[in-house]
């Protein structure tokens, strides 16, 4: 199946807007560090998890039943999730990989995201908003993960289809550095960062700073530059090395 780069780019840009909006929403709550501390959840049957960890697990258990993780870009943060209870015939896939979870960057995504929360949220604990904080954490994380993994699978496959004579020898030689160099489009990355800055400004243009927390557009661009773009390229390399 031939992929169209314009369709892939449009999907990535749409996810970009979702990510920006969800991160801005999470920033309206305090850091609430207690929600990330293991053993402080108040759930006696999950002594090894934080309140946030339990919320993320329950969300993924529900979505696994509904077959969310048969979709390549939807990689779960937890393992040993329940099997789908839904009859589902997956559409024809253009991807060439036998096991989707060979490309799973959720551990890196989670670590970077929690670092971002520490930068964008106000200091302090607000127990009345613990539930809202972890709800928006989960939704932001899922949007970021979808964007990273969509790029990892579909951008990599599109680039391979556009020039198999370039990529196949690099794959055969398992030349990770060579693949990364071939994948990198510096000008495209610069356009993405500028677009992220401008959208972050636009989304907050008419916001009343007395009642809403304003996020520095440079922070959002930095998160893209240091996390989303590098992890996407890391996933692209992994995909191509696993490509059948």
């Amino acid at each position: 199946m031939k992929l169209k780069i314009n369709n892939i780019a449009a999907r990535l840009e749409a996810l970009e807007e979702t990510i920006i909006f969800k991160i801005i929403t999470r920033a309206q709550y305090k850091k609430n560090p207690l929600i990330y501390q293991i053993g402080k959840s108040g759930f006696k049957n999950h002594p090894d998890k934080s309140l946030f960890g339990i919320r993320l697990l329950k969300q993924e258990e529900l979505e696994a039943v509904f077959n969310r993780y048969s979709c390549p870009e939807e990689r779960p943060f937890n393992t040993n999730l329940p099997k789908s209870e839904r009859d589902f015939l997956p559409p024809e896939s253009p991807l060439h990989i036998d096991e989707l979870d060979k490309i799973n960057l959720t551990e890196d995504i989670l670590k970077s995201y929690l670092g971002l929360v520490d930068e964008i949220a106000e200091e302090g604990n607000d127990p009345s908003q613990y539930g809202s904080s972890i709800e928006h954490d989960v939704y932001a994380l899922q949007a970021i993960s979808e964007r990273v993994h969509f790029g990892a699978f579909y951008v990599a496959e599109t680039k391979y289809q556009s020039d198999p004579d370039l990529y196949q020898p690099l794959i055969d030689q398992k030349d990770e550095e060579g693949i990364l160099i071939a994948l990198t489009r510096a000008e495209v990355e610069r356009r993405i960062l500028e677009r992220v800055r401008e959208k972050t400004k636009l989304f907050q243009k008419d916001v009343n700073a007395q009642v809403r927390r304003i996020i520095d557009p440079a922070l959002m661009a930095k998160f893209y530059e240091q996390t989303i773009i590098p992890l996407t390229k890391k996933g692209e390399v992994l995909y191509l090395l696993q490509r059948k």
Side-chain angles (χ1 to χ4, degrees):
M1 182 189 298
K2 189 74 173 174
L3 289 169
K4 296 181 179 179
I5 188 61
N6 288 345
N7 294 342
I8 304 299
R11 174 75 180 278
L12 291 173
E13 189 169 344
L15 287 168
E16 185 178 284
E17 294 167 7
T18 301
I19 289 168
I20 293 168
F21 179 76
K22 291 186 182 302
I23 288 174
I24 290 173
T25 303
R26 172 59 181 93
Q28 304 314 307
Y29 303 93
K30 292 187 177 181
K31 289 184 182 179
N32 293 327
L34 201 66
I35 65 179
Y36 307 112
Q37 291 182 20
I38 291 173
K40 302 289 186 180
S41 70
F43 284 79
K44 294 180 180 179
N45 58 336
H46 287 288
D48 60 333
K49 289 189 177 296
S50 64
L51 187 63
F52 159 74
I54 295 168
R55 177 65 174 80
L56 180 59
L57 174 63
K58 295 299 183 184
Q59 183 81 21
E60 292 194 335
E61 286 178 342
L62 172 64
E63 291 172 340
V65 169
F66 281 84
N67 211 48
R68 178 170 186 158
Y69 303 111
S70 66
C71 184
E73 61 266 33
E74 301 287 6
R75 295 299 88 217
F77 288 80
N78 290 281
T79 58
N80 300 318
L81 295 171
K83 293 185 181 299
S84 172
E85 296 179 12
R86 175 173 172 251
D87 291 333
F88 176 74
L89 182 62
E92 181 185 1
S93 175
L95 302 178
H96 295 261
I97 188 168
D98 57 8
E99 187 180 333
L100 294 175
D101 259 330
K102 287 180 177 178
I103 319 298
N104 190 320
L105 298 158
T106 52
E107 184 176 342
D108 291 333
I109 291 168
L110 176 57
K111 181 179 179 181
S112 294
Y113 172 77
L114 293 178
L116 177 66
V117 170
D118 200 46
E119 289 192 86
I120 63 173
E122 182 183 353
E123 293 286 349
N125 266 302
D126 181 1
S128 70
Q129 297 294 347
Y130 283 179
S132 295
S133 298
I134 58 175
E135 176 185 358
H136 292 297
D137 278 332
V138 168
Y139 295 151
L141 270 174
Q142 289 183 322
I144 294 163
S145 179
E146 182 180 353
R147 194 279 181 208
V148 167
H149 290 101
F150 185 84
F153 286 111
Y154 292 99
V155 173
E157 180 60 29
T158 302
K159 289 176 180 176
Y160 179 90
Q161 290 182 8
S162 71
D163 196 349
D165 291 340
L166 169 63
Y167 287 102
Q168 193 58 55
L170 295 171
I171 294 169
D172 293 341
Q173 296 160 20
K174 300 196 180 302
D175 184 352
E176 295 185 27
E177 184 177 354
I179 294 172
L180 181 60
I181 291 170
L183 289 168
T184 298
R185 305 284 189 271
E187 181 55 37
V188 172
E189 292 176 16
R190 282 193 289 271
R191 289 201 301 269
I192 290 171
L193 296 178
E194 183 56 34
R195 197 169 61 222
V196 167
R197 288 189 197 93
E198 290 305 311
K199 286 181 178 179
T200 306
K201 290 179 188 176
L202 179 63
F203 288 0
Q204 302 178 105
K205 185 169 79 72
D206 298 319
V207 167
N208 182 350
Q210 294 184 332
V211 298
R212 296 281 288 176
R213 188 168 176 82
I214 306 297
I215 301 305
D216 183 351
L219 275 179
M220 201 75 76
K222 185 177 80 168
F223 184 67
Y224 254 79
E225 183 176 26
Q226 296 184 356
T227 296
I228 292 180
I229 291 174
L231 286 183
T232 301
K233 292 198 292 186
K234 178 179 178 179
E236 290 179 57
V237 172
L238 289 172
Y239 171 78
L240 289 173
L241 289 172
Q242 297 289 337
R243 191 180 187 278
K244 304 299 182 184

